[in-house]
Amino acid sequence: MKYIFGNWKMYLNHEESVGLANVLKEIKVEDDVKLGVFPSALAMSDVVQTMKESSFVVGSQDAGFPEKGAYTGLVSAQMFKDSGCTHTLVGHSERRHVFGETDEDVRKKLEASIGAGLVSVLCIGETKEDRDNDKTEYRLKKQLMKALEGLEFNGAELILAYEPVWAIGTGDPCFSDEAARVINLIKEDIKQYQSQEVPVLYGGSVSEDNVVSYVSLPEIDGVLVGGASSKSDTFTGLINNAVT
Ligand code: PEP
């Protein structure tokens, strides 16, 4: 199975999100490809409706961990589930590094997502400073341990995304051979927390031009795409290149 997931971040308003969903829903792929989009909370219900009969799964970009109550501005994992989406990103680098989410917050969000019955796409990745100081493996292992140690999966599906922070939105991707090397380390490490195989995607400046270099490698189970997923021409081009 190869995954091609698009994180629309805060690039698209409601109308633009539904417009893009209307274009993408026409794309048909073989059963061994899984497509997905992650729209804003505001557009979620309408994108879910638009994508209903399509090849796309739909997920949230984040989900609050409290179940209900006096949490101004939050949308809970259960609320997203109720809106009809099936997946959620957890611990995206912009949540960690722009909004200061800690490994502990990420753990709580993962538990809430599992509790709500969403498929979690857990994002991990080292900073440039980590990499320069030979701490890539340390950072990834720590993020995995904090998120997964002792976690009750209860049959929940988990997907990982290896997204080096320095590669996200920079146009400076981690080349595919290095991404595959790191993903192998992640797959080895995760065995202590989860006996089932966990797909690991690569994310960080994936484009129409470089997507094949990732999806053609057996170690890399797909891609999580930000900027290039927010426009119909680049995302359809990227998907076409990846599946042909
Ligand atoms: C992302 O948002 O997960 C991402 C990888 O962004 P970009 O493709 O823009 O680097």
Side-chain angles (χ1 to χ4, degrees):
M1 175 71 70
K2 292 285 176 182
Y3 297 77
I4 305 172
F5 283 177
N7 171 17
W8 292 350
K9 311 198 191 201
M10 209 178 70
Y11 288 132
L12 305 176
N13 66 20
H14 179 274
E15 193 186 339
E16 291 162 338
S17 302
V18 176
L20 180 51
N22 267 304
V23 174
L24 297 176
K25 75 176 186 189
E26 303 303 334
I27 298 176
K28 299 286 173 246
V29 287
E30 302 290 329
D31 288 348
D32 60 352
V33 176
K34 185 161 268 186
L35 303 174
V37 289
F38 295 75
S40 70
L42 187 66
M44 183 60 72
S45 295
D46 286 335
V47 171
V48 165
Q49 284 308 313
T50 306
M51 290 298 202
K52 229 172 186 170
E53 307 294 324
S54 80
S55 307
F56 282 78
V57 297
V58 181
S60 63
Q61 300 173 10
D62 181 41
F65 56 78
E67 278 179 29
K68 213 172 189 156
Y71 300 102
T72 304
L74 273 194
V75 181
S76 72
Q78 186 60 52
M79 287 169 174
F80 279 116
K81 175 75 175 170
D82 294 345
S83 76
C85 74
T86 51
H87 289 57
T88 183
L89 303 182
V90 180
H92 187 276
S93 108
E94 284 146 20
R95 300 300 319 169
R96 293 179 190 259
H97 296 283
V98 180
F99 297 104
E101 256 175 35
T102 62
D103 285 335
E104 287 71 24
D105 296 327
V106 172
R107 167 63 175 242
K108 287 184 201 158
K109 290 187 172 194
L110 193 53
E111 286 173 347
S113 301
I114 290 171
L118 293 169
V119 177
S120 304
V121 183
L122 173 64
C123 303
I124 59 172
E126 82 284 3
T127 62
K128 174 89 170 62
E129 195 185 344
D130 290 331
R131 187 158 270 264
D132 289 347
N133 290 301
D134 252 348
K135 288 203 156 166
T136 298
E137 205 175 327
Y138 161 82
R139 181 66 57 208
L140 297 171
K141 282 185 166 190
K142 186 164 175 226
Q143 289 174 340
L144 284 174
M145 184 189 70
K146 292 278 194 173
L148 301 178
E149 194 174 42
L151 186 70
E152 296 289 340
F153 282 88
N154 298 323
E157 194 182 330
L158 175 70
I159 299 171
L160 275 184
Y162 168 54
E163 298 210 302
V165 178
W166 49 270
I168 297 180
T170 58
D172 179 21
C174 175
F175 294 124
S176 55
D177 51 350
E178 172 60 5
R181 186 190 71 81
V182 175
I183 285 174
N184 265 338
L185 295 174
I186 292 170
K187 287 186 174 178
E188 219 25 69
D189 195 59
I190 204 172
K191 284 182 189 159
Q192 62 188 301
Y193 308 115
Q194 170 64 295
S195 54
Q196 280 170 21
E197 243 179 63
V198 177
V200 186
L201 321 186
Y202 167 74
S205 297
V206 176
S207 67
E208 275 178 274
D209 298 332
N210 65 20
V211 66
V212 174
S213 73
Y214 298 102
V215 295
S216 60
L217 296 183
E219 296 88 345
I220 304 179
D221 297 302
V223 286
L224 177 55
V225 185
S229 74
S230 65
K231 296 189 195 81
S232 62
D233 55 346
T234 50
F235 201 33
T236 52
L238 187 154
I239 293 168
N240 282 335
N241 288 348
V243 300
T244 49

